[in-house]
Amino acid sequence: MPSSLQSEQSRLSLLGARLFIVLPGKERPNGWLALGSRLSGQPYTPRDLRFLENMCDQASIAIERVQTVAHLERRILEMNALTRVSQGVNVTLTFDDVLELIYVQTAQIIPTSHFHITLYNKDSDYFYYGFCLEKNERIQERENLPFSKNSGLGPEVIRKSRPVITQDYLRECQARGHTPILENVFAWMGVPLNAGALSIGALSVGSRDGSIVYTRGQLELLQAIADQTAGAIVKARLLEETQKRAHQLSTLNEITRQLTSTLDLDLLLQNILENAVGILNCEAGSLFLVDEQTGELVFKVTVGPVATNLIGKRLPPGTGIVGRAVETRGPVIENEDQLATSRFKGVDQQTGFVSRSLMAVPLQVKDRVTGVVEVINRRDGLPFVQDDQTLLTAFAGQAAVGIENARLFTLTDQELAARVEELSVMQRIDRELNASLEMDRAMRITLDWALRQSGAEAGLIGMLAEENLRVMSDVGFDEYIAGLSDRTMKVDLPSMTKALESGLPQQASVAASKDKLLSASHTQMVIPIRRETAVIGLLFLESTNDSQVDIEFLTRLTDHAAIAISNAQLYGEVQRANLAKSDFVSFVAHELKNPMTSIKGYTELLAGGAVGQINEMQTNFLHTIKSNVERMSTLVSDLNDNAKIEAGRLRFEYKATSAADLVDEVVRTMKRQIDDRKQTLEILIPGNLPPMWSDRIRVGQVLTNLLSNAYKYTPESGMLQIGVEESENHWDADGAPRVIHLWVKDDGIGLTVEDQQKMFQKFFRSDDPKAREAPGTGLGLNITKSLVEMQGGRIWFESEYRKGTTFHFTVPVAEG
């Protein structure tokens, strides 16, 4: 048997081959023709042998031709495949499309049932399938999942950057100390994907068909495909990564804009976490804030299929990767091969969520960590890498500023709300303090609010008198106050002494001290009541608890109280001065009335000739004396009324009064003066007028004053008018519903616009020369206005310069 056929000896023996005729080739035999013994049992003759040799020569030539054609066809197919790969990778930009193209072209020229493109991530030192096809079906769920360097033969090809070919995959894995990851694969070969001097991955094929044998030529062809596609894979990955990072940066800019557009902290935290999970394309995430008091990490927001019942839960400082992120003030990454020993594993069990990869980045403002953003599991199955960490760190920096702004805004808003509330309370206190000018009431109000706002159980407030404190109001110190003489206590408590000496509020713990008024007291507060630089009083509070009190509020309260107290003191002094003035004016008026009455009486007797006939000059002198006495009497009467009004001593005797009778009475008393000036008086009074509820004398005084002014400031032969009507009260919404409306009209000199603004002022006299011709005190209209308003009415006027004036006033209708 020829030596080249020794490997087939067993099969040839079964066939009973005895004659072997070579199929000659140019350099080596193309094959052999093997025949058994002749059926006749006769040996082969030389003729037979020559025939067989000639036939084999011809057959060999034919076989060579066929092999040459087949080889050319295969080479053409291989070249076409390589050309299509080359063309495809130059026009295909999508990473996944590049991998799909490599598989399709490779499968056309190399028989395969298993095709893998294994890639290597150098930064994180792990391997993963970029493309996985087994049993002629693509398995995408196995793609992008990291596996160890000892899994299969792909990592071996990448690490050594050398091809591997074997006809027994399982035995080859065992020989190299690797764990097989493919089942029932016989022939297998893999070549490195070389981009320059760097192996970025491996291209491998395998077959479940035991008859398939991979050759060196196929290995070279596979390497040629790998060489052409390695660069395309690098470019596609760079393009995909660039597009991904550009999108992430664009998203980051948009997110940054969004973060600055809201100051609602809860909404902001939700947006931060949702955007952090979205920008890194993760499955889930959590956001924690650091409790500044305890250092604990508080779940604030969760996204994804993690347990929502974790919100509000607290983690002790240092727990898990979020705790380490706070402690190290830097990002922490834990990928799947690290999670077995992770300190965060217990929290994962609480959520019921399987974590393959975790990344936590602290939220820092200056040197202070305010929280942590944690993202879980990239959706593409890959672990977190340095680029992810850089991106999330940049995002976290913006988010931390947004959170700090929202926190400061919330604090500012809360402080503003508290300040507004305090101002509102202070406004209420001011209204109560200013509602009355009584010092005792101001003291009670101040003490009540101090107790209400401080929560103290007992307190007192008083005014300083030399070295003592005169207690004006107290609560809770009944037994102590009862033992004081004239409610005056010595300022001998240490806290009171310090407040008095320094002029500053004092708060002291007196739980173990005897210097207190209540034996159960724990805290004392003393607030000096200051007026300018002087302490005029003290607010003293005692509380049975140790809670902190807003001393600043109490200080502002006493400042406002000091103003009210000072106003009350000033008001008291003014009242006393008014009373003294009223008493003096009343005394003077009384003392002047008697001599004026005598002067007027004797003047009238002399003028009437009671003591003899008088001449014309004497008559004129007596008329002058009488006129000035009447003027003086009016002045004294006006001063007396004004003093009583200011002092609040003017008394009214209200009763139902007939307006018609009152008008008639006033007209009769003044008829002679009106007739002397040849003026015409028109009276407009309807019948059946209801009575007024008023002081008859005072309403008569008002009407007399107005009519007197009308005839004095109206030239001779002028027109005067008095009118009365019942009407709804259109002039005073807060007054009586129905009133008697009275008016006095004239066509006299009228008033300028400037004078109209000052008409009811005390002692006002117009600068108009014609107005100055008539005598007056400037008190009449002011007294008239007070008399009308004190009886529940209203007074007003209309006037046109040099055309006349009309004065109106109202008096309530008497009920029933």
Side-chain angles (χ1 to χ4, degrees):
M1 182 178 294
S3 59
S4 60
L5 297 179
Q6 290 297 325
S7 60
E8 301 292 334
Q9 181 176 357
S10 57
R11 296 175 64 187
L12 293 173
S13 297
L14 291 173
L15 295 173
R18 293 292 182 267
L19 177 62
F20 301 94
I21 303 169
V22 68
L23 298 172
K26 293 179 180 180
E27 297 179 358
R28 56 185 177 83
N30 290 326
W32 295 85
L33 174 64
L35 297 174
S37 301
R38 295 181 65 177
L39 295 177
S40 63
Q42 296 295 321
Y44 290 100
T45 64
R47 181 182 176 186
D48 295 334
L49 294 176
R50 284 196 299 276
F51 170 76
L52 291 172
E53 286 178 348
N54 290 334
M55 184 184 69
C56 285
D57 288 342
Q58 296 299 321
S60 180
I61 293 171
I63 289 171
E64 284 182 350
R65 289 174 181 171
V66 171
Q67 286 180 336
T68 299
V69 171
H71 177 70
L72 289 174
E73 289 178 346
R74 186 173 66 255
R75 292 298 297 170
I76 290 172
L77 182 63
E78 292 171 354
M79 291 304 297
N80 287 339
L82 289 173
T83 300
R84 285 192 293 271
V85 169
S86 177
Q87 293 174 343
V89 297
N90 287 325
V91 298
T92 303
L93 298 179
T94 304
F95 181 62
D96 194 66
D97 290 347
V98 170
L99 302 184
E100 189 76 41
L101 173 67
I102 295 171
Y103 160 67
V104 171
Q105 298 304 322
T106 302
Q108 290 183 4
I109 55 178
I110 299 176
T112 178
S113 61
H114 289 62
F115 180 87
H116 298 92
I117 297 177
T118 305
L119 299 175
Y120 174 60
N121 188 303
K122 183 179 179 181
D123 293 335
S124 298
D125 191 25
Y126 66 85
F127 302 89
Y128 64 98
Y129 286 139
F131 188 93
C132 177
L133 182 139
E134 297 180 2
K135 301 178 185 178
N136 297 314
E137 291 185 4
R138 186 171 179 181
I139 309 174
Q140 290 184 316
E141 55 268 24
R142 290 188 59 191
E143 295 173 0
N144 297 321
L145 296 178
F147 54 82
S148 68
K149 61 185 179 181
N150 293 321
S151 298
L153 298 175
E156 180 81 3
V157 174
I158 297 171
R159 285 190 295 110
K160 294 185 177 181
S161 193
R162 295 175 60 183
V164 173
I165 183 170
T166 179
Q167 308 307 322
D168 192 335
Y169 171 78
L170 180 60
R171 183 174 296 175
E172 188 71 25
C173 286
Q174 292 173 346
R176 293 175 181 268
H178 289 252
T179 303
I181 56 176
L182 304 177
E183 297 180 354
N184 301 322
V185 172
F186 297 99
W188 186 93
M189 62 179 175
V191 295
L193 292 166
N194 294 322
L198 181 66
S199 291
I200 63 170
L203 179 63
S204 61
V205 295
S207 177
R208 292 166 58 88
D209 187 349
S211 64
I212 298 295
V213 177
Y214 291 139
T215 65
R216 285 288 169 183
Q218 290 173 320
L219 184 65
E220 292 172 1
L221 180 60
L222 189 63
Q223 184 65 66
I225 294 173
D227 290 343
Q228 285 203 22
T229 57
I233 290 175
V234 171
K235 288 191 292 183
R237 288 174 71 183
L238 285 175
L239 179 62
E240 183 180 60
E241 190 67 22
T242 300
Q243 291 175 338
K244 176 182 174 184
R245 293 306 175 193
H247 173 70
Q248 289 174 337
L249 289 174
S250 175
T251 304
L252 182 60
N253 289 333
E254 178 63 21
I255 291 169
T256 302
R257 186 188 65 78
Q258 293 177 4
L259 293 181
T260 57
S261 66
T262 178
L263 292 172
D264 184 320
L265 185 58
D266 292 335
L267 179 61
L268 181 65
L269 295 178
Q270 186 71 36
N271 286 342
I272 287 172
L273 184 59
E274 288 177 354
N275 285 308
V277 170
I279 199 173
L280 290 171
N281 194 26
C282 297
E283 295 178 359
S286 302
L287 190 147
F288 302 79
L289 290 184
V290 176
D291 188 320
E292 295 182 358
Q293 303 296 325
T294 64
E296 295 175 317
L297 290 159
V298 184
F299 274 97
K300 300 300 290 186
V301 187
T302 60
V303 169
V306 295
T308 55
N309 61 355
L310 288 175
I311 294 176
K313 295 290 182 65
R314 293 173 174 264
L315 299 178
T319 301
I321 68 167
V322 290
R324 276 183 281 149
V326 174
E327 290 176 346
T328 61
R329 298 177 179 270
V332 179
I333 293 178
E334 285 191 353
N335 290 319
E336 193 166 23
D337 57 343
Q338 301 170 297
L339 293 182
T341 58
S342 171
R343 284 175 279 175
F344 195 69
K345 188 174 180 181
V347 179
D348 285 339
Q349 293 172 352
Q350 292 180 30
T351 64
F353 181 69
V354 179
S355 299
R356 299 187 306 273
S357 300
L358 304 173
M359 178 166 61
V361 175
L363 299 168
Q364 296 189 75
V365 177
K366 296 181 180 178
D367 296 328
R368 182 168 55 89
V369 177
T370 60
V372 179
V373 174
E374 177 201 43
V375 290
I376 308 171
N377 297 349
R378 283 177 49 165
R379 290 187 183 277
D380 58 12
L382 294 176
F384 292 113
V385 295
Q386 181 64 40
D387 288 343
D388 299 325
Q389 175 181 305
T390 302
L391 181 64
L392 189 58
T393 301
F395 172 77
Q398 298 294 329
V401 173
I403 291 174
E404 183 67 8
N405 289 342
R407 188 184 71 84
L408 292 176
F409 174 79
T410 301
L411 289 176
T412 302
D413 197 41
Q414 290 172 348
E415 290 176 0
L416 180 61
R419 182 63 177 150
V420 169
E421 175 63 22
E422 181 182 317
L423 289 174
S424 176
V425 169
M426 200 61 71
Q427 190 177 38
R428 290 169 57 193
I429 294 171
D430 283 341
R431 282 199 301 268
E432 293 183 22
L433 287 173
N434 296 325
S436 170
L437 289 172
E438 298 176 9
M439 182 182 292
D440 290 347
R441 186 173 184 276
M443 290 290 195
R444 287 196 306 273
I445 291 171
T446 303
L447 180 59
D448 288 345
W449 276 103
L451 292 170
R452 191 183 310 176
Q453 294 297 112
S454 67
E457 290 81 7
L460 59 83
I461 186 169
M463 300 298 293
L464 289 170
E466 297 180 355
E467 295 182 357
N468 297 323
L469 183 70
R470 167 78 173 169
V471 179
M472 307 294 290
S473 181
D474 66 278
V475 172
F477 294 131
D478 298 343
E479 185 177 344
Y480 175 79
I481 298 297
L484 296 178
S485 173
D486 195 28
R487 297 179 62 86
T488 300
M489 62 180 291
K490 288 188 175 294
V491 184
D492 53 4
L493 292 175
S495 57
M496 284 187 174
T497 304
K498 289 180 181 178
L500 190 58
E501 291 174 351
S502 66
L504 299 175
Q506 302 294 321
Q507 182 171 0
S509 177
V510 293
S513 173
K514 295 182 179 179
D515 295 321
K516 52 189 175 182
L517 303 186
L518 293 180
S519 59
S521 294
H522 284 205
T523 307
Q524 266 182 9
M525 291 148 283
V526 183
I527 316 296
I529 301 173
R530 301 169 57 89
R531 188 58 180 156
E532 296 179 353
T533 60
V535 178
I536 62 174
L538 293 176
L539 171 66
F540 178 80
L541 304 173
E542 283 193 350
S543 175
T544 57
N545 56 59
D546 298 318
S547 60
Q548 292 296 314
V549 176
D550 189 352
I551 294 293
E552 292 184 1
F553 174 82
L554 295 177
T555 302
R556 285 191 287 272
L557 173 62
T558 55
D559 288 343
H560 286 244
I563 296 173
I565 291 168
S566 180
N567 289 342
Q569 289 174 329
L570 291 174
Y571 177 74
E573 293 174 3
V574 170
Q575 285 294 92
R576 287 190 291 274
N578 280 337
L579 289 174
K581 181 183 74 173
S582 176
D583 290 341
F584 173 74
V585 171
S586 296
F587 172 77
V588 170
H590 178 74
E591 292 299 319
L592 288 175
K593 275 184 179 180
N594 289 332
M596 283 192 298
T597 301
S598 297
I599 294 171
K600 182 179 179 182
Y602 284 115
T603 302
E604 289 176 347
L605 287 174
L606 289 172
V611 292
Q613 200 68 21
I614 59 174
N615 59 35
E616 183 178 352
M617 183 177 292
Q618 290 172 331
T619 300
N620 290 335
F621 286 167
L622 290 172
H623 178 72
T624 301
I625 293 171
K626 179 182 177 183
S627 176
N628 281 282
V629 168
E630 288 176 347
R631 181 180 177 188
M632 185 174 231
S633 177
T634 302
L635 176 60
V636 169
S637 179
D638 285 348
L639 287 172
N640 190 30
D641 286 344
N642 183 68
K644 289 180 179 180
I645 290 170
E646 289 181 346
R649 286 184 167 183
L650 193 63
R651 299 291 180 261
F652 292 89
E653 295 182 4
Y654 290 97
K655 61 183 178 179
T657 304
S658 170
D661 292 347
L662 187 62
V663 169
D664 184 63
E665 181 180 319
V666 170
V667 169
R668 277 190 285 107
T669 60
M670 298 191 65
K671 188 174 187 330
R672 187 170 62 82
Q673 292 98 315
I674 294 172
D675 291 342
D676 289 346
R677 294 177 69 89
K678 299 182 177 58
Q679 295 169 339
T680 302
L681 175 62
E682 181 183 11
I683 301 174
L684 302 176
I685 302 177
N688 301 321
L689 275 177
M692 303 180 294
W693 186 251
S694 63
D695 184 316
R696 179 184 179 88
I697 295 175
R698 294 304 178 183
V699 175
Q701 183 179 347
V702 170
L703 197 57
T704 300
N705 194 9
L706 294 178
L707 186 58
S708 174
N709 284 345
Y711 94 81
K712 282 194 298 185
Y713 298 111
T714 300
E716 291 187 0
S717 304
M719 291 289 298
L720 306 178
Q721 183 187 89
I722 297 178
V724 185
E725 67 175 357
E726 180 192 8
S727 172
E728 291 185 7
N729 194 350
H730 305 294
W731 306 278
D732 186 2
D734 297 327
R738 299 194 66 79
V739 293
I740 300 298
H741 172 211
L742 302 96
W743 67 91
V744 176
K745 182 178 180 181
D746 65 65
D747 58 358
I749 62 175
L751 300 167
T752 64
V753 175
E754 293 78 8
D755 287 348
Q756 291 180 33
Q757 307 298 321
K758 307 172 184 177
M759 185 51 56
F760 291 114
Q761 291 181 6
K762 288 181 183 179
F763 305 109
F764 171 72
R765 294 297 309 276
S766 174
D767 293 330
D768 186 346
K770 289 192 176 183
R772 287 284 181 176
E773 292 176 0
T777 64
L779 284 173
L781 285 177
N782 178 264
I783 293 172
T784 296
K785 183 174 185 294
S786 298
L787 293 176
V788 170
E789 292 178 349
M790 291 171 75
Q791 296 181 83
R794 184 173 179 267
I795 186 170
W796 71 99
F797 65 90
E798 301 110 15
S799 184
E800 190 172 353
Y801 188 58
R802 294 294 184 260
K803 290 188 178 181
T805 304
T806 303
F807 275 89
H808 305 259
F809 70 97
T810 61
V811 181
V813 170
E815 297 181 358

